[in-house]
Amino acid sequence: GGVRAARGSGLPKVAVTGELHRWWNDYETGVATAENKTGWRVGVGVEIPLFGGFMTRHKVAEARARLNQLRQQQILLREGLGLQIKDVFLGLIANQKAFEATAAALEAASENRDLNTRAYQNGLVETEEVIRAQLMEALMEARHWRARYDQLALRSRLEFLVGNALQSALETR
Protein backbone atom coordinates (compact mmCIF):
# COMPACT_ATOMS: atom_id res chain seq x y z
CA GLY A 1 0.00 0.00 0.00
CA GLY A 2 2.86 2.37 0.78
CA VAL A 3 4.40 1.76 -2.65
CA ARG A 4 1.07 2.51 -4.37
CA ALA A 5 0.59 5.66 -2.31
CA ALA A 6 4.11 6.82 -3.20
CA ARG A 7 3.48 6.20 -6.91
CA GLY A 8 0.25 8.18 -6.70
CA SER A 9 1.92 11.25 -5.20
CA GLY A 10 2.91 12.43 -8.70
CA LEU A 11 -0.63 12.18 -10.09
CA PRO A 12 -3.16 15.02 -10.11
CA LYS A 13 -5.53 15.23 -7.18
CA VAL A 14 -9.16 16.26 -7.40
CA ALA A 15 -11.35 17.15 -4.43
CA VAL A 16 -15.06 17.86 -4.40
CA THR A 17 -16.48 19.44 -1.25
CA GLY A 18 -19.95 20.44 -0.23
CA GLU A 19 -21.74 22.08 2.64
CA LEU A 20 -25.35 22.40 3.61
CA HIS A 21 -26.32 24.46 6.65
CA ARG A 22 -29.38 25.65 8.50
CA TRP A 23 -29.63 27.69 11.68
CA TRP A 24 -32.52 27.27 14.05
CA ASN A 25 -32.50 30.70 15.57
CA ASP A 26 -35.46 32.99 16.22
CA TYR A 27 -33.30 36.07 16.11
CA GLU A 28 -33.87 38.00 12.83
CA THR A 29 -31.25 40.76 12.88
CA GLY A 30 -27.53 41.09 12.42
CA VAL A 31 -25.90 37.98 10.96
CA ALA A 32 -29.01 35.85 11.56
CA THR A 33 -30.95 37.06 8.52
CA ALA A 34 -33.23 34.82 6.52
CA GLU A 35 -30.62 34.56 3.74
CA ASN A 36 -27.89 33.49 6.18
CA LYS A 37 -29.98 30.96 8.13
CA THR A 38 -30.07 28.44 5.27
CA GLY A 39 -27.62 27.86 2.51
CA TRP A 40 -25.38 25.52 0.60
CA ARG A 41 -22.00 25.58 -1.01
CA VAL A 42 -20.18 23.31 -3.50
CA GLY A 43 -16.47 23.43 -4.25
CA VAL A 44 -14.07 21.69 -6.59
CA GLY A 45 -10.31 21.70 -6.06
CA VAL A 46 -7.62 20.42 -8.38
CA GLU A 47 -3.94 20.00 -7.56
CA ILE A 48 -1.58 19.22 -10.39
CA PRO A 49 2.03 18.56 -9.41
CA LEU A 50 4.22 20.00 -12.13
CA PHE A 51 7.66 19.38 -10.66
CA GLY A 52 8.43 17.62 -7.40
CA GLY A 53 12.21 17.55 -7.69
CA PHE A 54 12.16 13.80 -8.37
CA MET A 55 10.49 13.40 -5.01
CA THR A 56 7.95 10.88 -6.34
CA ARG A 57 10.69 8.58 -7.59
CA HIS A 58 12.48 8.74 -4.26
CA LYS A 59 9.27 8.20 -2.29
CA VAL A 60 8.62 5.05 -4.34
CA ALA A 61 12.20 3.88 -3.73
CA GLU A 62 11.83 4.53 0.00
CA ALA A 63 8.53 2.63 0.15
CA ARG A 64 10.09 -0.33 -1.70
CA ALA A 65 13.06 -0.27 0.69
CA ARG A 66 10.69 -0.35 3.67
CA LEU A 67 8.79 -3.24 2.10
CA ASN A 68 12.03 -5.18 1.56
CA GLN A 69 13.06 -4.44 5.14
CA LEU A 70 9.75 -5.85 6.42
CA ARG A 71 10.21 -8.97 4.30
CA GLN A 72 13.73 -9.48 5.69
CA GLN A 73 12.45 -9.04 9.25
CA GLN A 74 9.73 -11.59 8.54
CA ILE A 75 12.36 -14.12 7.41
CA LEU A 76 14.46 -13.42 10.51
CA LEU A 77 11.41 -13.88 12.73
CA ARG A 78 10.65 -17.23 11.13
CA GLU A 79 14.26 -18.35 11.60
CA GLY A 80 14.22 -17.07 15.17
CA LEU A 81 11.04 -19.02 15.85
CA GLY A 82 12.68 -22.14 14.44
CA LEU A 83 15.69 -21.64 16.71
CA GLN A 84 13.47 -21.14 19.74
CA ILE A 85 11.52 -24.32 18.98
CA LYS A 86 14.76 -26.24 18.43
CA ASP A 87 16.07 -24.94 21.77
CA VAL A 88 12.90 -26.10 23.53
CA PHE A 89 13.13 -29.54 21.91
CA LEU A 90 16.76 -29.93 22.96
CA GLY A 91 15.76 -28.86 26.46
CA LEU A 92 12.97 -31.45 26.46
CA ILE A 93 15.35 -34.21 25.40
CA ALA A 94 17.86 -33.28 28.10
CA ASN A 95 15.11 -32.93 30.66
CA GLN A 96 13.69 -36.34 29.76
CA LYS A 97 17.09 -37.90 30.49
CA ALA A 98 17.30 -36.00 33.79
CA PHE A 99 13.77 -37.12 34.68
CA GLU A 100 14.65 -40.77 34.05
CA ALA A 101 17.89 -40.43 36.02
CA THR A 102 16.16 -38.80 39.00
CA ALA A 103 13.47 -41.49 38.91
CA ALA A 104 16.16 -44.18 39.16
CA ALA A 105 17.96 -42.22 41.89
CA LEU A 106 14.71 -41.82 43.82
CA GLU A 107 14.06 -45.53 43.63
CA ALA A 108 17.59 -46.32 44.84
CA ALA A 109 17.27 -43.76 47.67
CA SER A 110 13.93 -45.28 48.74
CA GLU A 111 15.44 -48.75 48.81
CA ASN A 112 18.44 -47.45 50.76
CA ARG A 113 16.17 -45.77 53.30
CA ASP A 114 14.12 -48.93 53.65
CA LEU A 115 17.24 -51.04 54.19
CA ASN A 116 18.65 -48.57 56.73
CA THR A 117 15.34 -48.49 58.59
CA ARG A 118 15.28 -52.31 58.82
CA ALA A 119 18.92 -52.41 59.86
CA TYR A 120 18.25 -49.82 62.56
CA GLN A 121 15.35 -51.89 63.88
CA ASN A 122 17.74 -54.83 64.19
CA GLY A 123 20.42 -52.66 65.82
CA LEU A 124 22.92 -52.93 62.94
CA VAL A 125 23.26 -49.18 62.09
CA GLU A 126 23.24 -45.93 64.00
CA THR A 127 20.43 -43.38 63.99
CA GLU A 128 22.59 -41.01 61.95
CA GLU A 129 22.64 -43.43 58.99
CA VAL A 130 18.83 -43.71 58.98
CA ILE A 131 18.43 -39.92 59.10
CA ARG A 132 20.99 -39.51 56.30
CA ALA A 133 19.08 -42.07 54.18
CA GLN A 134 15.78 -40.29 54.83
CA LEU A 135 17.28 -36.92 53.88
CA MET A 136 18.77 -38.39 50.70
CA GLU A 137 15.38 -39.84 49.76
CA ALA A 138 13.70 -36.46 50.34
CA LEU A 139 16.38 -34.71 48.27
CA MET A 140 16.02 -37.17 45.40
CA GLU A 141 12.25 -36.83 45.50
CA ALA A 142 12.57 -33.02 45.33
CA ARG A 143 14.98 -33.26 42.38
CA HIS A 144 12.67 -35.72 40.63
CA TRP A 145 9.67 -33.41 40.98
CA ARG A 146 11.80 -30.43 39.91
CA ALA A 147 12.72 -32.30 36.72
CA ARG A 148 9.03 -33.05 36.16
CA TYR A 149 8.17 -29.37 36.66
CA ASP A 150 10.89 -28.29 34.21
CA GLN A 151 9.54 -30.77 31.68
CA LEU A 152 6.04 -29.37 31.97
CA ALA A 153 7.36 -25.80 31.76
CA LEU A 154 9.24 -26.61 28.55
CA ARG A 155 6.15 -28.24 27.04
CA SER A 156 4.12 -25.18 27.96
CA ARG A 157 6.72 -22.90 26.35
CA LEU A 158 6.66 -25.01 23.19
CA GLU A 159 2.87 -24.81 23.01
CA PHE A 160 3.06 -21.05 23.58
CA LEU A 161 5.60 -20.56 20.75
CA VAL A 162 3.68 -22.70 18.29
CA GLY A 163 0.34 -21.18 19.29
CA ASN A 164 1.61 -17.62 18.84
CA ALA A 165 3.15 -18.47 15.46
CA LEU A 166 -0.07 -20.11 14.33
CA GLN A 167 -2.18 -17.20 15.54
CA SER A 168 -0.01 -14.61 13.79
CA ALA A 169 -0.08 -16.67 10.59
CA LEU A 170 -3.86 -16.83 10.70
CA GLU A 171 -4.16 -13.10 11.42
CA THR A 172 -2.00 -12.14 8.41
CA ARG A 173 -4.22 -14.10 6.06
Side-chain angles (χ1 to χ4, degrees):
V3 174
R4 288 181 63 190
R7 276 193 205 132
S9 66
L11 300 175
K13 298 174 186 153
V14 177
V16 178
T17 60
E19 177 186 335
L20 179 64
H21 67 272
R22 178 173 175 87
W23 294 353
W24 284 274
N25 190 345
D26 293 337
Y27 197 62
E28 293 290 333
T29 58
V31 180
T33 63
E35 293 83 21
N36 290 341
K37 285 185 176 183
T38 60
W40 59 275
R41 200 178 324 173
V42 175
V44 175
V46 178
E47 180 183 327
I48 301 173
L50 295 177
F51 182 71
F54 304 107
M55 192 162 77
T56 303
R57 182 183 310 159
H58 295 298
K59 281 184 179 179
V60 171
E62 179 189 6
R64 284 189 179 143
R66 286 181 192 264
L67 180 63
N68 288 334
Q69 180 186 16
L70 286 173
R71 286 182 180 153
Q72 292 297 322
Q73 286 176 347
Q74 198 173 33
I75 291 170
L76 287 175
L77 285 173
R78 279 192 209 126
E79 289 176 2
L81 178 66
L83 288 176
Q84 287 178 348
I85 290 175
K86 184 177 181 179
D87 179 52
V88 170
F89 268 115
L90 291 175
L92 279 171
I93 291 169
N95 187 268
Q96 181 63 33
K97 291 177 183 176
F99 181 75
E100 291 169 0
T102 57
L106 176 60
E107 185 178 337
S110 293
E111 289 174 3
N112 185 33
R113 189 232 354 117
D114 189 42
L115 287 174
N116 277 320
T117 303
R118 286 187 201 162
Y120 177 75
Q121 290 171 349
N122 292 324
L124 299 173
V125 294
E126 298 292 323
T127 308
E128 181 181 337
E129 293 294 323
V130 175
I131 293 172
R132 188 175 294 149
Q134 289 172 342
L135 287 175
M136 187 56 71
E137 181 185 26
L139 179 66
M140 287 299 115
E141 188 173 8
R143 286 186 180 172
H144 179 68
W145 288 111
R146 172 62 192 232
R148 180 68 174 146
Y149 169 78
D150 289 342
Q151 191 177 46
L152 291 174
L154 285 169
R155 283 184 183 177
S156 175
R157 183 168 174 229
L158 179 65
E159 289 174 6
F160 176 75
L161 288 172
V162 172
N164 277 350
L166 184 63
Q167 183 179 7
S168 65
L170 291 175
E171 286 175 355
T172 58
R173 290 182 184 178

